[in-house]
Amino acid sequence: QVQVVESGGALVQAGGSLRLLCVASERPSSYYIMGWFRQAPGKEREFVAKITGAGASAGNTGYADSVKGRFTISRDNAKNTLYLQMNSLKPEDTAVYYCAAGFGAGKVIRDEYDYWGPGTQVTVSS
């Protein structure tokens, strides 16, 4: 069973930056999709960013419109680590951020995530 754990969440002022990290216990397949999601109090969980591993789509990224130009997703395969660089943070970015992963070509094709971390709190003050 794969375990993913996020870290890096903190209290930061609007306009500031944070880098979130997600470490996976293992990578059962070189074909994977990993993503960041977030959930604010009283709101539904929403997609933030994603990135793919090996294959024709390796390294492909996607972002929610709300974070384009401000957030950057990346990964270090050797370290089984996923990153989310967040710049120009806004109070609206306040949420619990979750790391998620799916392994295998089918998961990549279907944009499906099977493993989720416990979350890390990001709070942006005005």
Side-chain angles (χ1 to χ4, degrees):
Q1 183 174 324
V2 177
Q3 293 183 333
V4 292
V5 181
E6 310 91 341
S7 63
L11 171 64
V12 63
Q13 293 184 330
S17 299
L18 281 175
R19 186 177 70 164
L20 303 184
L21 288 76
C22 170
V23 180
S25 61
E26 61 184 293
R27 190 173 68 248
S29 175
S30 59
Y31 293 89
Y32 66 82
I33 184 164
M34 295 192 75
W36 287 98
F37 295 79
R38 66 186 182 187
Q39 186 169 26
K43 296 184 178 181
E44 297 181 354
R45 183 183 66 196
E46 65 175 351
F47 163 78
V48 175
K50 64 180 179 181
I51 190 167
T52 55
S57 62
N60 284 357
T61 59
Y63 298 90
D65 288 341
S66 61
V67 306
K68 286 182 179 178
R70 298 190 298 120
F71 291 10
T72 302
I73 188 171
S74 61
R75 78 276 193 271
D76 185 335
N77 288 327
K79 298 180 179 179
N80 284 347
T81 301
L82 180 73
Y83 305 93
L84 182 67
Q85 178 65 46
M86 305 184 293
N87 297 326
S88 301
L89 285 163
K90 305 174 181 179
E92 305 92 89
D93 295 318
T94 295
V96 174
Y97 283 70
Y98 298 92
C99 172
F103 297 94
K107 299 298 183 180
V108 176
I109 293 172
R110 294 188 292 273
D111 195 4
E112 192 172 282
Y113 306 86
D114 295 324
Y115 304 95
W116 296 80
T120 186
Q121 178 71 49
V122 171
T123 302
V124 184
S125 62
S126 59

